[in-house]
Amino acid sequence: MAPPQICVIGSLNIDFVTYTPRCPDAGETLTANSLAISAGGKGANQAVACGRASFVSKDNQDASVYMIGAVGACDPYYSALLRPTLEGSGVSTTGIQEKTDSQTGSATIIVDEGAGGENRILFVPGANYSGMDNVDAVLATTRNIHLEQGVVVMQGEIPRSTTLELMKHFNDPSCPSHLVFNPAPVFTEGIPLAALAGTSVLAMNETEAVLMTQAVKEHLTPAQQEQDLKPEELAPLFHKHAQVQIVLITLGAKGAFYSTATGKQGFAPSAAVEKVVDTTAAGDTFVGYFATAFAKFVATGAPLAEFDAQIETAVRKANVAAAGCVQRKGAMQSIPFAYEI
């Protein structure tokens, strides 16, 4: 059996996180509680989640995880914070470009402690856009790390054109890799149904699922177009009209819904949480943990339909990991290792 391989293609950011008793009103200056500077970006977060999910003990990592992305050259935050965090989580950084013509992406995050840790995020793309606009270069990097029958994880924080071209490549039947796609954030122009065709795993939260409904709008009845579809109503549309094999919809404190093209559906409850501190990276933790379980299955070479027997266990473990994440402050640093849960 080939060792599990996971390649995450996406964004790397520096997060500036302000913790406040409430969000200020327009024109208001408010004294906040604290400021933290940490490593982030949905791509990097999910890479760290994959890496940490593969540590069955402190010294035993049972999957290879690679990060492909771009940062600003000579960025002290990359060398002192981002790269050490990735590498300390078992993620190879050889696929990360250092661009001289742009800055590392950043996110300004306001965590409303008075509202249970809910967050608001402002994203400056930087090198995530200017360094990720060459599809051929990205694909060359995947070839350099000898990605074969593995799992590719992608999100929505790199250019839409790059994302769609990469989806087309990895979803092609001749490509041995499986795509796990998390449309977060959902592009303003949406994701065409044709781009989703053949996707192995489509993972969304409730908000993203509503926005992604536009992809299948032409297949909805007039009555369905006037309402928010339930997960069990929406998922079959992606199976039928885009040949998506697995649909996941996370539901916050209610847990997560899963559906497979072979007809298995279910809800996995969330794990108990003593106190929600910060919801940042909870969704990324879920995606990373599920992708790792999926990659371990893919490495066996078994038909995808056989994953039906393992999907609930994979979703439940991803829920447990996400529950561990929300009880800590920050993004990457809040993601637990598998041996901790």
Side-chain angles (χ1 to χ4, degrees):
M1 183 181 79
Q5 287 186 302
I6 306 166
C7 176
V8 182
I9 302 174
S11 58
L12 301 106
N13 294 335
I14 300 300
D15 290 346
F16 299 90
V17 187
T18 301
Y19 296 89
T20 175
R22 64 175 176 82
C23 289
D25 294 327
E28 179 185 17
T29 298
L30 182 69
T31 300
N33 294 331
S34 62
L35 169 70
I37 301 174
S38 59
K42 294 198 74 65
N45 289 346
Q46 291 181 14
V48 165
C50 290
R52 294 185 181 185
S54 65
F55 274 93
V56 293
S57 69
K58 287 187 177 181
D59 302 314
N60 184 12
Q61 184 180 12
D62 62 359
S64 298
V65 183
Y66 306 89
M67 178 75 214
I68 294 179
V71 296
C74 303
D75 185 334
Y77 287 119
Y78 176 61
S79 59
L81 185 58
L82 254 172
R83 187 171 61 198
T85 304
L86 285 161
E87 293 176 347
S89 302
V91 179
S92 170
T93 60
T94 58
I96 298 174
Q97 306 175 63
E98 296 190 43
K99 304 291 290 183
T100 59
D101 57 352
S102 56
Q103 66 185 53
T104 301
S106 66
T108 299
I109 303 170
I110 300 174
V111 179
D112 189 341
E113 296 183 308
E118 289 296 327
N119 61 62
R120 292 169 170 81
I121 302 174
L122 292 168
F123 171 53
V124 179
N128 294 316
Y129 273 28
S130 59
M132 295 294 286
D133 56 358
N134 188 325
V135 175
D136 290 337
V138 174
L139 291 176
T141 304
T142 66
R143 288 191 291 270
N144 289 339
I145 62 176
H146 305 292
L147 181 69
E148 296 171 355
Q149 185 175 348
V151 167
V152 175
V153 182
M154 293 175 55
Q155 321 78 32
E157 283 188 343
I158 62 174
R160 181 176 183 267
S161 58
T162 302
T163 300
L164 297 184
E165 283 296 315
L166 291 174
M167 291 177 71
K168 180 180 178 181
H169 174 83
F170 291 116
N171 284 337
D172 190 290
S174 65
C175 180
S177 298
H178 290 265
L179 177 63
V180 174
F181 181 54
N182 172 218
V186 177
F187 296 112
T188 303
E189 303 92 334
I191 300 289
L193 198 59
L196 291 168
T199 300
S200 293
V201 180
L202 175 62
M204 308 170 281
N205 64 23
E206 289 179 283
T207 301
E208 292 150 6
V210 170
L211 295 172
M212 286 295 290
T213 303
Q214 293 299 312
V216 292
K217 186 175 181 180
E218 64 182 286
H219 300 288
L220 301 180
T221 66
Q224 288 175 321
Q225 293 182 23
E226 297 298 321
Q227 59 184 313
D228 290 339
L229 299 181
K230 296 178 180 178
E232 59 269 31
E233 298 171 325
L234 179 60
L237 296 172
F238 287 105
H239 294 317
K240 180 178 180 180
H241 300 294
Q243 297 78 52
V244 174
Q245 298 301 302
I246 296 170
V247 175
L248 305 172
I249 302 176
T250 56
L251 307 168
K254 294 177 287 186
F257 168 81
Y258 58 88
S259 177
T260 72
T262 49
K264 183 168 185 176
Q265 289 190 345
F267 285 90
S270 61
V273 174
E274 186 173 328
K275 180 183 178 181
V276 174
V277 175
D278 183 354
T279 60
T280 307
D284 296 330
T285 300
F286 178 93
V287 171
Y289 264 76
F290 184 88
T292 302
F294 184 61
K296 292 177 182 179
F297 169 82
V298 167
T300 68
L304 194 56
E306 293 185 15
F307 189 64
D308 279 13
Q310 302 180 28
I311 189 169
E312 182 175 355
T313 299
V315 172
R316 284 179 177 271
K317 186 169 184 179
N319 279 345
V320 171
C325 172
V326 302
Q327 296 180 76
R328 304 173 179 177
K329 285 187 176 182
M332 283 187 198
Q333 68 266 38
S334 69
I335 300 171
F337 284 86
Y339 57 79
E340 295 179 307
I341 61 176

